[in-house]
Amino acid sequence: MEVVTPLDLEEALIKLQQDPQVEVLAGGTDLLVKWKNNLIDPQRAMNILKLTELKFIREEKGQLIIGPLMTHQELTEADLVRKNAPILAAACAQVGSLQIRNRGTLGGNLVTASPAGDTIPALVVANASLTLRSAQAERIVSIRDFFKGPGKTVLQPGELLTAITVPCRTSDETYFYRKLGQRQAMAISIVSVACKAKLVNQVIKDIQIACGSVGPTVLELTQTARNLTGCGLQDKKILALAANAGSETNPISDIRAAKEYRRDMVGALLYEGLQKLQGSQRV
């Protein structure tokens, strides 16, 4: 495989314009594994890992802006992320092993577009937006519109993901992220659940719920969210509402779990997370 290494972002975008089919290589935790397992056979790759323009975290006007080359471990440990987007820090902490977290990037996790991607449900409920840039233009898309299916996104030939923007957490918002794998570490999720809620006196005033590994893309549980709105966290009907949450999902059966189990675990993880919110306004 021929590898080219641009010196800056502008050079990378020009090279990508000249050769839109080149594989973009960042941390390599997805691309190189697929190549090694003969799932892909790229002839050319562009290594962008050293592009400093894509490695940053900053807070601007109530928004957290993150470069796509930030690694999962860097985001887990960053004070700005833990303060302003703690659900993203929690999701990044669940990615693979420490070695993978130190190598894999947030941008890579998004562009790979796996339904099991750990950071995607967290960024969906956080209402993130993505900046996509080519040599000619720049556009911003909601993360909800970015994914088209397993491994498929709206990225056009010649485009790079150059920033992830997340509205900063407000004082009345609380979050949780739960992941179920076949073991406690280095596991692809069987089910993941991310939730953002606004609570007033332990009553749910607004809530968003997104699940991974239960459909071709991350799914939002909109009906369950509507049903939970107005409920107190100690309300007994929360158990029944959570138990029915899996009916909104469309999982498959595979080597890791049966679809019926996945549906059941959506409810279990949601209920567990809601119970842990009692008495707390924090993750």
Side-chain angles (χ1 to χ4, degrees):
M1 181 170 60
E2 177 189 355
V3 179
V4 296
T5 304
L7 298 178
D8 55 39
L9 180 57
E10 291 300 329
E11 182 184 354
L13 293 173
I14 290 172
K15 288 184 180 298
L16 198 56
Q17 179 187 31
Q18 294 169 344
D19 186 5
Q21 302 307 314
V22 67
E23 293 282 357
V24 177
L25 173 65
T29 57
D30 288 310
L31 177 65
L32 296 182
V33 170
K34 292 178 181 178
W35 185 36
K36 181 179 179 181
N37 292 330
N38 298 315
L39 298 175
I40 59 174
D41 185 23
Q43 301 302 305
R44 298 171 306 284
M46 183 171 65
N47 176 19
I48 65 168
L49 189 60
K50 295 184 178 181
L51 296 183
T52 56
E53 300 105 312
L54 299 182
K55 194 175 181 70
F56 59 86
I57 309 174
R58 62 179 182 265
E59 182 183 351
E60 292 182 359
K61 299 179 180 178
Q63 294 185 316
L64 192 64
I65 307 174
I66 302 169
L69 292 186
M70 295 299 298
T71 69
H72 301 296
Q73 192 63 24
E74 288 169 336
L75 294 171
T76 298
E77 297 174 355
D79 290 339
L80 274 178
V81 179
R82 294 168 68 89
K83 174 187 175 182
N84 296 301
I87 193 170
L88 176 59
C92 286
Q94 294 292 319
V95 175
S97 64
L98 179 60
Q99 294 91 331
I100 293 296
R101 292 194 295 276
N102 273 312
R103 184 72 181 181
T105 65
L106 178 60
N109 199 238
L110 296 175
V111 173
T112 296
S114 167
D118 289 303
T119 64
I120 301 173
L123 288 172
V124 167
V125 299
N127 299 316
S129 60
L130 309 178
T131 301
L132 312 180
R133 183 175 167 187
S134 69
Q136 292 83 25
E138 181 178 276
R139 61 187 177 121
I140 297 175
V141 301
S142 166
I143 193 168
R144 291 179 171 85
D145 300 324
F146 184 66
F147 304 100
K148 298 172 64 177
K152 298 179 180 180
T153 72
V154 299
L155 269 173
Q156 297 296 312
E159 282 187 323
L160 276 179
L161 169 62
T162 57
I164 300 97
T165 301
V166 184
C168 291
R169 174 193 191 181
T170 59
S171 60
D172 60 346
E173 290 177 345
T174 187
Y175 303 76
F176 68 79
Y177 179 84
R178 294 287 179 271
K179 172 182 173 178
L180 175 66
Q182 291 180 319
R183 52 188 183 272
Q184 289 189 338
M186 295 182 68
I188 299 173
S189 68
I190 293 173
V191 173
S192 61
V193 176
C195 175
K196 179 181 78 172
K198 290 187 177 182
L199 304 178
V200 177
N201 297 323
Q202 300 296 293
V203 175
I204 299 170
K205 295 302 181 182
D206 184 61
I207 187 169
Q208 295 180 57
I209 309 161
C211 298
S213 295
V214 291
T217 61
V218 166
L219 296 179
E220 289 193 85
L221 307 187
T222 54
Q223 184 60 53
T224 300
R226 283 194 291 269
N227 292 339
L228 286 170
T229 301
C231 292
L233 290 178
Q234 296 182 341
D235 196 321
K236 292 183 179 180
K237 70 178 180 179
I238 279 185
L239 177 59
L241 293 174
N244 193 51
S247 64
E248 286 195 74
T249 66
N250 185 30
I252 61 170
S253 295
D254 60 16
I255 193 171
R256 289 179 287 126
K259 61 183 180 181
E260 294 82 7
Y261 179 73
R262 282 190 161 101
R263 287 196 180 103
D264 288 344
M265 289 304 100
V266 167
L269 293 179
L270 177 59
Y271 183 71
E272 177 188 64
L274 290 171
Q275 292 304 296
K276 288 184 180 296
L277 292 183
Q278 290 194 41
S280 174
Q281 293 291 101
R282 299 189 178 277
V283 171

